[in-house]
């Protein structure tokens, strides 16, 4: 027996939010139905899940949870995010594995339920925060090539985020790659102007213009003026 759309959503909700009451699950998955209809939909989904076998969902009279023998890939990502967010040091050996976990695909692509959109956005922002912190730690530890990779991934997720652009520029400058720093600054500035009609903030602009190379400084100052937002 194949798993239908409703059964997929029951298991996905339990995977993302943990144990839930039956009422909460029914209301989340069928918000436009009456309570009785939503609960009937849930009962039907559970019957189909029991028919599949394997004990995928553990049930009580009032609540549901995934069975203890079930593993979910997003749980590994959550563990990785917790590790970084709690300030635990990521060594140079661990960094590529952590980065690989943070680079994973979007959550449930092609699903547009309100609760999925909420969880996807929440996970997206957690990834960006973790990447920024990981990148800063790597930069401070002198792991410049890895810091560049992390900053590039953060910008791929959120191209207008100035903290990630600043991290990328700092990593290139620390490595002595001035031309790469200028190129990244220019690309970021062009995105800001095109999308938001503003220029990079003072911190990033001054970071670039502080380097004493005449060609570098003149180019940055020329591109940065006039600024279109206050700082």
């Amino acid at each position: 027996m194949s798993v239908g759309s409703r059964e997929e959503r029951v298991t996905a909700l339990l995977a993302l939010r943990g144990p839930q009451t039956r009422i909460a699950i029914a209301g989340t998955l069928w918000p436009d139905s009456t309570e009785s209809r939503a609960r009937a939909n849930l009962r039907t989904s559970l019957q189909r899940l029991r028919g599949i076998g394997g004990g995928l969902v553990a049930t009580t009279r009032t609540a549901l949870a995934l069975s203890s023998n079930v593993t979910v890939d997003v749980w590994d990502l959550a563990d990785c995010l917790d590790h970084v967010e709690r300030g635990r040091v990521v060594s140079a050996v661990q960094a590529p594995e952590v980065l690989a976990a943070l680079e994973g695909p979007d959550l449930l692509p092609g699903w547009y339920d309100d609760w999925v959109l909420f969880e996807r956005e929440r996970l997206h922002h957690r990834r960006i925060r973790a990447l920024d912190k990981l990148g800063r730690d790597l930069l401070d530890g002198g792991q410049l090539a890895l810091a560049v990779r992390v900053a590039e991934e953060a910008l791929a997720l959120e191209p207008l985020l100035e903290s990630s652009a600043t991290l990328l520029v700092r990593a290139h400058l620390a490595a002595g790659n001035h031309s790469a720093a200028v190129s990244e600054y220019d690309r970021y500035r062009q995105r800001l102007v095109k999308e938001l009609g503003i220029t990079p903030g003072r911190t990033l602009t001054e970071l670039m213009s502080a380097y004493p190379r005449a060609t570098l400084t003149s180019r940055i100052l020329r591109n940065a003026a006039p600024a279109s937002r206050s700082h």
Side-chain angles (χ1 to χ4, degrees):
M1 181 183 294
S2 61
V3 177
S5 173
R6 292 192 300 190
E7 293 73 49
E8 285 183 340
R9 278 159 170 75
V10 171
T11 55
L13 181 63
L14 293 174
L16 292 174
R17 295 189 174 177
Q20 301 278 300
T21 65
R22 291 173 181 257
I23 293 175
I25 295 171
T28 299
L29 297 183
W30 297 282
D32 298 326
S33 299
T34 64
E35 181 178 337
S36 60
R37 171 51 58 189
R39 291 172 70 92
N41 288 339
L42 180 58
R43 286 194 298 271
T44 300
S45 298
L46 290 175
Q47 289 171 359
R48 290 183 62 84
L49 286 170
R50 292 189 190 100
I52 295 171
L56 183 62
V57 176
T59 65
T60 68
R61 187 174 63 83
T62 60
L64 306 176
L66 290 184
S67 298
S68 58
N69 62 341
V70 174
T71 58
V72 181
D73 55 0
V74 77
W75 293 349
D76 294 332
L77 174 58
D79 288 343
C80 179
L81 290 167
D82 289 342
H83 183 92
V84 176
E85 289 172 349
R86 290 173 182 171
R88 296 173 182 169
V89 176
V90 177
S91 69
V93 175
Q94 295 172 315
E97 182 179 350
V98 172
L99 178 58
L102 296 178
E103 287 176 330
D106 283 342
L107 178 68
L108 298 174
W111 291 32
Y112 301 103
D113 312 61
D114 287 344
W115 66 272
V116 174
L117 295 176
F118 174 84
E119 295 294 342
R120 185 183 299 151
E121 187 71 7
R122 186 172 67 89
L123 184 61
H124 175 78
H125 288 296
R126 287 191 70 192
R127 274 177 164 162
I128 292 170
R129 289 195 299 269
L131 286 166
D132 264 3
K133 184 182 183 304
L134 176 61
R136 292 194 303 272
D137 291 346
L138 291 169
L139 180 59
D140 293 343
Q143 301 294 324
L144 304 181
L146 280 173
V148 167
R149 282 185 56 197
V150 168
E152 288 174 340
E153 176 62 21
L155 276 176
L157 290 175
E158 199 66 59
L160 301 180
L161 190 62
E162 188 151 319
S163 61
S164 300
T166 301
L167 174 63
L168 182 55
V169 167
R170 286 180 60 204
H172 280 309
L173 290 175
N177 298 326
H178 296 128
S179 61
V182 171
S183 295
E184 292 298 343
Y185 176 88
D186 283 347
R187 277 194 286 270
Y188 177 67
R189 179 185 181 279
Q190 289 165 11
R191 286 197 298 270
L192 280 183
V193 170
K194 180 179 179 181
E195 298 294 330
L196 302 178
I198 61 176
T199 55
R202 181 178 300 167
T203 299
L204 178 53
T205 301
E206 290 181 350
L207 171 67
M208 296 295 291
S209 61
Y211 277 74
R213 292 175 52 186
T215 53
L216 174 63
T217 302
S218 62
R219 182 175 177 183
I220 295 305
L221 292 177
R222 182 177 66 250
N223 285 343
S228 57
R229 66 177 177 184
S230 60
H231 304 288

